[in-house]
């Protein structure tokens, strides 16, 4: 009887021991898989931010960059940072470690800094006299510096533990957006000054547009194709020209050409506006002209391109009108 009890006890102990060993083995195996997945994601994040940081430093040069190119570059940097953030925060969420915590601080801080930097610089470009814009830029510098420091600590701890454990690591880059910046406000002041002195046209956004037209006298109605039905009397066209850029434009030439549906020119004129300030509009009225009844006419408006104007599609506009034959 006693021998049976010993046998049962021994068997129970052996089963428990085996269960413990198997559970421990699979738990360690699972942890190893999670760690390897984290290393793979972290290496991808390191590659993304290594390229990002190099592009960001080029961005801070401000020397030969147009507004369009600047906005494209900073948008790409932000998009890549968001991709890295999503990768870290949506993959392998059960894995926790000091290294992951440091990488999370770095990735979050870099993203916050880049987003704030983008908004701040675009605000500065649109309004060079923005009040306290340096404070916003300084905060973005602080966020980027926090990210740099957290990543540096992450890399040190990761390599130290790998050396102790004999773990093989994928390639990780040394990354610095800003480095450890002692005086972020002074750095922000320097950036603002450098941006304002840029020679590549960062602040010189030139864009004129035909903002609107209106027949004088007012049309009787409009057709489904937006063709104006005009009164049987001489018709003039009121034209609105706006400056959608952020710099004064001078000596703006506006061409008006009126043709009938057979392509014959009925009227043409060249109008000159001496100047239009940023976000300002100017209105002028063409000469009233007689047009033949029952024939559709086109009023074609064109603003002559000014030097370094980036957007030209809104320099052109056509409107149509006719006098009913029974008028």
């Amino acid at each position: 009887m006693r021998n049976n009890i010993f046998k049962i006890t021994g068997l129970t102990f052996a089963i428990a021991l085996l269960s413990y060993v198997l559970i421990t083995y699979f738990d360690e195996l699972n942890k190893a898989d999670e760690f390897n997945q984290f290393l793979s994601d972290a290496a991808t994040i390191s590659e993304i931010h290594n390229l990002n940081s190099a592009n960001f430093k080029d961005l801070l040069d401000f020397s030969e960059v147009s507004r369009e190119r600047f906005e494209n570059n900073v948008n790409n940097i932000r998009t890549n940072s968001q991709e890295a953030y999503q990768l870290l925060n949506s993959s392998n969420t059960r894995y926790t470690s000091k290294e992951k915590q440091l990488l999370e601080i770095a990735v979050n801080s870099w993203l916050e800094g880049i987003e704030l930097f983008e908004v701040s610089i675009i605000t500065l470009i649109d309004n060079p006299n923005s009040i306290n814009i340096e404070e916003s830029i300084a905060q973005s510098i602080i966020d980027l510096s926090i990210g740099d420091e957290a990543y540096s600590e992450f890399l040190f701890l990761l390599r130290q533990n790998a050396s102790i454990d004999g773990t093989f690591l994928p390639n990780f880059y040394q990354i610095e957006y800003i480095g450890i910046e002692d005086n972020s406000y002074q750095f922000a002041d320097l950036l603002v000054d450098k941006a304002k002195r840029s020679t590549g046209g960062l602040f010189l956004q030139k864009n004129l547009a035909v903002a609107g037209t209106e027949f004088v006298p007012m049309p009787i109605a409009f057709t489904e194709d937006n063709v104006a039905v005009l009164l049987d009397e001489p018709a003039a066209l009121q034209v609105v020209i706006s400056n959608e850029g952020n710099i004064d434009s001078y000596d703006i030439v506006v061409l008006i050409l009126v043709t009938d549906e057979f392509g014959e020119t009925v009227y043409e004129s060249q109008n000159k506006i001496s100047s239009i300030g940023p976000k300002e509009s100017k209105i002028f009225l063409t000469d009233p002209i007689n047009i033949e009844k029952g024939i559709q006419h086109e009023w074609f408006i064109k603003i002559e391109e000014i030097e370094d104007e980036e957007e030209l599609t809104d320099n052109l506009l056509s409107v149509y009108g006719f006098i009913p034959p029974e008028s």
Side-chain angles (χ1 to χ4, degrees), residues 113-306:
I114 288 164
E115 289 178 335
L116 183 56
F117 178 85
E118 178 181 18
V119 171
S120 302
I121 294 295
I122 296 300
T123 299
L124 175 65
I125 293 171
D126 285 335
N127 185 5
N129 298 317
S130 300
I131 299 174
N132 299 327
I133 193 66
E134 289 85 355
E135 292 183 10
S136 179
I137 295 175
Q139 183 58 55
S140 73
I141 300 305
I142 291 171
D143 290 338
L144 290 169
S145 295
I146 291 172
D148 289 347
E149 185 173 4
Y151 180 81
S152 179
E153 292 181 18
F154 153 79
L155 208 55
F156 173 79
L157 184 61
L158 185 68
R159 288 172 174 171
Q160 182 184 61
N161 291 340
S163 177
I164 294 172
D165 299 336
T167 304
F168 172 78
L169 294 178
N171 185 41
F172 285 93
Y173 296 91
Q174 296 285 349
I175 299 171
E176 274 195 356
Y177 279 85
I178 299 297
I180 310 304
E181 187 55 47
D182 293 332
N183 193 330
S184 57
Y185 285 89
Q186 184 179 6
F187 189 34
D189 288 340
L190 292 174
L191 280 181
V192 170
D193 183 60
K194 190 173 185 180
K196 288 182 177 180
R197 289 186 289 104
S198 70
T199 59
L202 182 61
F203 287 83
L204 306 180
Q205 186 187 20
K206 297 182 179 181
N207 183 25
L208 298 174
V210 183
T213 60
E214 185 174 279
F215 284 102
V216 179
M218 290 285 291
I220 303 169
F222 287 87
T223 69
E224 291 182 355
D225 296 328
N226 204 34
V227 177
V229 181
L230 304 175
L231 293 169
D232 185 12
E233 58 181 273
L237 189 68
Q238 182 175 274
V239 181
V240 181
I241 304 298
S242 67
N243 183 352
E244 302 295 333
N246 52 21
I247 186 172
D248 289 323
S249 291
Y250 299 96
D251 299 327
I252 300 104
V253 177
V254 184
L255 304 177
I256 308 290
L257 183 66
V258 182
T259 57
D260 61 23
E261 59 190 39
F262 309 107
E264 295 293 327
T265 300
V266 175
Y267 170 85
E268 61 180 312
S269 70
Q270 179 173 292
N271 307 269
K272 194 169 186 178
I273 302 173
S274 58
S275 67
I276 307 180
K279 308 305 177 183
E280 183 181 315
S281 297
K282 292 288 179 73
I283 301 173
F284 68 88
L285 191 65
T286 67
D287 298 325
I289 60 171
N290 290 300
I291 61 172
E292 187 176 346
K293 292 182 182 181
I295 296 178
Q296 180 173 296
H297 287 69
E298 175 187 7
W299 278 255
F300 175 74
I301 305 105
K302 176 185 179 183
I303 305 173
E304 291 286 2
E305 178 185 349
I306 58 176

Side-chain angles (χ1 to χ4, degrees), residues 34-54:
E34 290 177 349
F35 177 64
N36 288 332
Q37 182 60 53
F38 167 70
L39 285 182
S40 176
D41 292 342
T44 301
I45 290 168
S46 178
E47 184 176 0
I48 290 172
H49 276 288
N50 179 59
L51 179 60
N52 252 16
S53 61

